[in-house]
Amino acid sequence: MTDRLYYHDSFLYNFDAEVRSVIETPRPALILDRTAFYPTSGGQIHDTGWIVSPDTKLRVTEVADAEDGRVVHYLDAPLKEAQLKNVQPGTRIRGEIDPARRRDHMQQHSAQHVLSAAFIRLFNMPTVSFHMADDYCSIDLRIDDLDTPSLTKDQIESAERLANDVVLENRSVDIRFVTRDEAAHLGLRKLPPTEHDQLRLIDIRDFDLTACGGTHVSSTGQIGSILLRKTEKVRQGYRVEFVAGQRAVSTTRRDFSTLTETAALFSAHIYDVAQQARKSLDEIRLLRKQREQSQDELAAAQAATLLAETPETNSRKLVVRTFSDRDLTFLKLLAQKLTRLSPTAVALFATDSPQPALVFAQSAGQPHDMGALLKETMAKLGGRGGGSKDLAQGGVPKSDGLADALAAAAQSLAI
Ligand SMILES: [Zn+2]
């Protein structure tokens, strides 16, 4: 078993220890007799730092609990021969923990205790799990009243308010060790299911008492602030994301930058962004509708013009045209208008931009097969498409050869 120094002092960033064993494969790691490095457990992620011997400085990138109670310090790179000599079992080393990362973890984890206690006090919603990621944390709240499983905006704001009151009150946070029997009478928020005889308790004065092995601040003021973020429904209740301390500041800073950038696009104040965005979306919807209407009118007029310009030969009107700056949707609309306006029309349309495409159509009752003709033409152009006997469409990768292919299709109908 590794002696865990962080159990007694979360602010111990440097410590002396002795190497117990060196692991080379599959991942290089050291095991010490004692450590202040926190291994990933109980929702809290591990520390990082350095292990320093007189001639060697090794980077610790991950720390994990082994099943036998030892703490494994994983190193960032395999040990070179000289380094290996410097950390043989029995060597005295100095451990140095990355203090900024540890402080951040203490703030997040202590915030979790305060927040979990707040949700119990206010709404009797117990925390069933805690997750710490690199940029945010979350707790899962169990909601027992399954008939009305909800977490309202007001509840979120009340819990956030109470949690921050507790931060501002700067209550002491003490570590206590008790036996399991003693713990049973203390009214803990959460009693862990372990077999250990001794329990480590985190005591936020007159607010929360719970068993926990993590690293915490020594008074709630050190948490700084607690900001609740996204909530989402999960299987048995709700997941609440939060950030505390410097994370709360950096997250808010990022929110502000995003909002400021967005507000500048609308030339609006940041608090008016939602209203401005709604207004813009309404305008877009209206413009889209107007555009559809205009396209329809334009297609009808253009179909009539094309028919008027085209003489009837062999008792049908064959209209062959290549367009620019017309999309497939417009081409199709135009072909439909044209074949409905005249009972004897055949339309072979191409567009070379924005996306090269073809639309072939004939009036109902005409004898050709547009689907087959389009497929044949597509085969020459390397495109994809298809359709029915009266209407077919498809896109081609580039506009080269489009006019020739169209002329060949028209030619095949003339025979
Ligand atoms: Zn904890």
mmCIF file with all atom_site columns, all heavy atoms in Angstrom, residues 42 109 112-113 130 202 210-214 216, ligand 1:
data_model
loop_
_atom_site.group_PDB
_atom_site.id
_atom_site.type_symbol
_atom_site.label_atom_id
_atom_site.label_alt_id
_atom_site.label_comp_id
_atom_site.label_asym_id
_atom_site.label_entity_id
_atom_site.label_seq_id
_atom_site.pdbx_PDB_ins_code
_atom_site.Cartn_x
_atom_site.Cartn_y
_atom_site.Cartn_z
_atom_site.occupancy
_atom_site.B_iso_or_equiv
_atom_site.pdbx_formal_charge
_atom_site.auth_seq_id
_atom_site.auth_comp_id
_atom_site.auth_asym_id
_atom_site.auth_atom_id
_atom_site.pdbx_PDB_model_num
ATOM   1  N  N   . GLY A 1 42  ? -13.015 8.361  -7.719  1.00 0.00 ? 42  GLY A N   1
ATOM   2  C  CA  . GLY A 1 42  ? -14.139 9.093  -7.134  1.00 0.00 ? 42  GLY A CA  1
ATOM   3  C  C   . GLY A 1 42  ? -14.595 10.274 -7.970  1.00 0.00 ? 42  GLY A C   1
ATOM   4  O  O   . GLY A 1 42  ? -15.119 11.245 -7.432  1.00 0.00 ? 42  GLY A O   1
ATOM   5  N  N   . HIS A 1 109 ? -13.835 19.964 -7.197  1.00 0.00 ? 109 HIS A N   1
ATOM   6  C  CA  . HIS A 1 109 ? -14.352 18.885 -6.359  1.00 0.00 ? 109 HIS A CA  1
ATOM   7  C  C   . HIS A 1 109 ? -15.076 19.435 -5.121  1.00 0.00 ? 109 HIS A C   1
ATOM   8  O  O   . HIS A 1 109 ? -16.137 18.945 -4.728  1.00 0.00 ? 109 HIS A O   1
ATOM   9  C  CB  . HIS A 1 109 ? -13.212 17.935 -5.961  1.00 0.00 ? 109 HIS A CB  1
ATOM   10 C  CG  . HIS A 1 109 ? -13.691 16.630 -5.441  1.00 0.00 ? 109 HIS A CG  1
ATOM   11 N  ND1 . HIS A 1 109 ? -12.969 15.468 -5.524  1.00 0.00 ? 109 HIS A ND1 1
ATOM   12 C  CD2 . HIS A 1 109 ? -14.852 16.297 -4.831  1.00 0.00 ? 109 HIS A CD2 1
ATOM   13 C  CE1 . HIS A 1 109 ? -13.650 14.481 -4.983  1.00 0.00 ? 109 HIS A CE1 1
ATOM   14 N  NE2 . HIS A 1 109 ? -14.806 14.961 -4.546  1.00 0.00 ? 109 HIS A NE2 1
ATOM   15 N  N   . GLN A 1 112 ? -18.350 20.676 -6.049  1.00 0.00 ? 112 GLN A N   1
ATOM   16 C  CA  . GLN A 1 112 ? -19.301 19.564 -6.203  1.00 0.00 ? 112 GLN A CA  1
ATOM   17 C  C   . GLN A 1 112 ? -19.956 19.224 -4.867  1.00 0.00 ? 112 GLN A C   1
ATOM   18 O  O   . GLN A 1 112 ? -21.172 19.030 -4.795  1.00 0.00 ? 112 GLN A O   1
ATOM   19 C  CB  . GLN A 1 112 ? -18.575 18.340 -6.767  1.00 0.00 ? 112 GLN A CB  1
ATOM   20 C  CG  . GLN A 1 112 ? -19.478 17.134 -6.950  1.00 0.00 ? 112 GLN A CG  1
ATOM   21 C  CD  . GLN A 1 112 ? -19.304 16.099 -5.849  1.00 0.00 ? 112 GLN A CD  1
ATOM   22 O  OE1 . GLN A 1 112 ? -18.188 15.673 -5.572  1.00 0.00 ? 112 GLN A OE1 1
ATOM   23 N  NE2 . GLN A 1 112 ? -20.402 15.705 -5.217  1.00 0.00 ? 112 GLN A NE2 1
ATOM   24 N  N   . HIS A 1 113 ? -19.158 19.175 -3.790  1.00 0.00 ? 113 HIS A N   1
ATOM   25 C  CA  . HIS A 1 113 ? -19.745 18.869 -2.474  1.00 0.00 ? 113 HIS A CA  1
ATOM   26 C  C   . HIS A 1 113 ? -20.792 19.918 -2.089  1.00 0.00 ? 113 HIS A C   1
ATOM   27 O  O   . HIS A 1 113 ? -21.889 19.580 -1.647  1.00 0.00 ? 113 HIS A O   1
ATOM   28 C  CB  . HIS A 1 113 ? -18.651 18.827 -1.398  1.00 0.00 ? 113 HIS A CB  1
ATOM   29 C  CG  . HIS A 1 113 ? -17.822 17.574 -1.421  1.00 0.00 ? 113 HIS A CG  1
ATOM   30 N  ND1 . HIS A 1 113 ? -17.459 16.895 -0.292  1.00 0.00 ? 113 HIS A ND1 1
ATOM   31 C  CD2 . HIS A 1 113 ? -17.290 16.879 -2.447  1.00 0.00 ? 113 HIS A CD2 1
ATOM   32 C  CE1 . HIS A 1 113 ? -16.715 15.829 -0.622  1.00 0.00 ? 113 HIS A CE1 1
ATOM   33 N  NE2 . HIS A 1 113 ? -16.605 15.808 -1.936  1.00 0.00 ? 113 HIS A NE2 1
ATOM   34 N  N   . PHE A 1 130 ? -20.501 11.859 -10.079 1.00 0.00 ? 130 PHE A N   1
ATOM   35 C  CA  . PHE A 1 130 ? -19.750 13.100 -10.299 1.00 0.00 ? 130 PHE A CA  1
ATOM   36 C  C   . PHE A 1 130 ? -18.732 12.818 -11.380 1.00 0.00 ? 130 PHE A C   1
ATOM   37 O  O   . PHE A 1 130 ? -18.084 11.773 -11.385 1.00 0.00 ? 130 PHE A O   1
ATOM   38 C  CB  . PHE A 1 130 ? -19.065 13.498 -8.986  1.00 0.00 ? 130 PHE A CB  1
ATOM   39 C  CG  . PHE A 1 130 ? -17.963 14.523 -9.128  1.00 0.00 ? 130 PHE A CG  1
ATOM   40 C  CD1 . PHE A 1 130 ? -18.147 15.684 -9.863  1.00 0.00 ? 130 PHE A CD1 1
ATOM   41 C  CD2 . PHE A 1 130 ? -16.739 14.327 -8.491  1.00 0.00 ? 130 PHE A CD2 1
ATOM   42 C  CE1 . PHE A 1 130 ? -17.122 16.622 -9.976  1.00 0.00 ? 130 PHE A CE1 1
ATOM   43 C  CE2 . PHE A 1 130 ? -15.710 15.259 -8.602  1.00 0.00 ? 130 PHE A CE2 1
ATOM   44 C  CZ  . PHE A 1 130 ? -15.906 16.410 -9.338  1.00 0.00 ? 130 PHE A CZ  1
ATOM   45 N  N   . ILE A 1 202 ? -15.248 14.577 4.714   1.00 0.00 ? 202 ILE A N   1
ATOM   46 C  CA  . ILE A 1 202 ? -15.036 15.980 4.372   1.00 0.00 ? 202 ILE A CA  1
ATOM   47 C  C   . ILE A 1 202 ? -16.188 16.758 4.997   1.00 0.00 ? 202 ILE A C   1
ATOM   48 O  O   . ILE A 1 202 ? -17.362 16.501 4.698   1.00 0.00 ? 202 ILE A O   1
ATOM   49 C  CB  . ILE A 1 202 ? -15.002 16.188 2.840   1.00 0.00 ? 202 ILE A CB  1
ATOM   50 C  CG1 . ILE A 1 202 ? -13.900 15.335 2.210   1.00 0.00 ? 202 ILE A CG1 1
ATOM   51 C  CG2 . ILE A 1 202 ? -14.820 17.658 2.497   1.00 0.00 ? 202 ILE A CG2 1
ATOM   52 C  CD1 . ILE A 1 202 ? -12.487 15.618 2.693   1.00 0.00 ? 202 ILE A CD1 1
ATOM   53 N  N   . THR A 1 210 ? -19.643 14.410 4.315   1.00 0.00 ? 210 THR A N   1
ATOM   54 C  CA  . THR A 1 210 ? -19.720 13.261 3.420   1.00 0.00 ? 210 THR A CA  1
ATOM   55 C  C   . THR A 1 210 ? -18.382 12.528 3.403   1.00 0.00 ? 210 THR A C   1
ATOM   56 O  O   . THR A 1 210 ? -17.341 13.113 3.690   1.00 0.00 ? 210 THR A O   1
ATOM   57 C  CB  . THR A 1 210 ? -20.135 13.717 2.004   1.00 0.00 ? 210 THR A CB  1
ATOM   58 O  OG1 . THR A 1 210 ? -20.530 12.575 1.255   1.00 0.00 ? 210 THR A OG1 1
ATOM   59 C  CG2 . THR A 1 210 ? -19.000 14.406 1.281   1.00 0.00 ? 210 THR A CG2 1
ATOM   60 N  N   . ALA A 1 211 ? -18.437 11.242 3.078   1.00 0.00 ? 211 ALA A N   1
ATOM   61 C  CA  . ALA A 1 211 ? -17.200 10.457 2.986   1.00 0.00 ? 211 ALA A CA  1
ATOM   62 C  C   . ALA A 1 211 ? -16.615 10.654 1.603   1.00 0.00 ? 211 ALA A C   1
ATOM   63 O  O   . ALA A 1 211 ? -17.328 10.555 0.602   1.00 0.00 ? 211 ALA A O   1
ATOM   64 C  CB  . ALA A 1 211 ? -17.504 8.989  3.218   1.00 0.00 ? 211 ALA A CB  1
ATOM   65 N  N   . CYS A 1 212 ? -15.311 10.953 1.536   1.00 0.00 ? 212 CYS A N   1
ATOM   66 C  CA  . CYS A 1 212 ? -14.689 11.211 0.233   1.00 0.00 ? 212 CYS A CA  1
ATOM   67 C  C   . CYS A 1 212 ? -13.178 11.130 0.352   1.00 0.00 ? 212 CYS A C   1
ATOM   68 O  O   . CYS A 1 212 ? -12.600 11.543 1.346   1.00 0.00 ? 212 CYS A O   1
ATOM   69 C  CB  . CYS A 1 212 ? -15.108 12.590 -0.270  1.00 0.00 ? 212 CYS A CB  1
ATOM   70 S  SG  . CYS A 1 212 ? -14.342 13.025 -1.836  1.00 0.00 ? 212 CYS A SG  1
ATOM   71 N  N   . GLY A 1 213 ? -12.538 10.611 -0.669  1.00 0.00 ? 213 GLY A N   1
ATOM   72 C  CA  . GLY A 1 213 ? -11.075 10.487 -0.665  1.00 0.00 ? 213 GLY A CA  1
ATOM   73 C  C   . GLY A 1 213 ? -10.373 11.569 -1.460  1.00 0.00 ? 213 GLY A C   1
ATOM   74 O  O   . GLY A 1 213 ? -9.154  11.519 -1.621  1.00 0.00 ? 213 GLY A O   1
ATOM   75 N  N   . GLY A 1 214 ? -11.127 12.527 -1.978  1.00 0.00 ? 214 GLY A N   1
ATOM   76 C  CA  . GLY A 1 214 ? -10.549 13.518 -2.901  1.00 0.00 ? 214 GLY A CA  1
ATOM   77 C  C   . GLY A 1 214 ? -9.821  14.652 -2.208  1.00 0.00 ? 214 GLY A C   1
ATOM   78 O  O   . GLY A 1 214 ? -9.742  14.721 -0.983  1.00 0.00 ? 214 GLY A O   1
ATOM   79 N  N   . HIS A 1 216 ? -9.565  18.633 -1.398  1.00 0.00 ? 216 HIS A N   1
ATOM   80 C  CA  . HIS A 1 216 ? -10.513 19.738 -1.263  1.00 0.00 ? 216 HIS A CA  1
ATOM   81 C  C   . HIS A 1 216 ? -9.830  20.980 -0.722  1.00 0.00 ? 216 HIS A C   1
ATOM   82 O  O   . HIS A 1 216 ? -8.756  20.893 -0.139  1.00 0.00 ? 216 HIS A O   1
ATOM   83 C  CB  . HIS A 1 216 ? -11.652 19.332 -0.324  1.00 0.00 ? 216 HIS A CB  1
ATOM   84 C  CG  . HIS A 1 216 ? -12.423 18.139 -0.817  1.00 0.00 ? 216 HIS A CG  1
ATOM   85 N  ND1 . HIS A 1 216 ? -12.030 16.860 -0.547  1.00 0.00 ? 216 HIS A ND1 1
ATOM   86 C  CD2 . HIS A 1 216 ? -13.526 18.038 -1.593  1.00 0.00 ? 216 HIS A CD2 1
ATOM   87 C  CE1 . HIS A 1 216 ? -12.859 16.011 -1.125  1.00 0.00 ? 216 HIS A CE1 1
ATOM   88 N  NE2 . HIS A 1 216 ? -13.778 16.694 -1.785  1.00 0.00 ? 216 HIS A NE2 1
HETATM 89 ZN ZN  . ZN  B 2 .   ? -15.467 14.466 -2.777  1.00 0.00 ? 1   ZN  B ZN  1
#
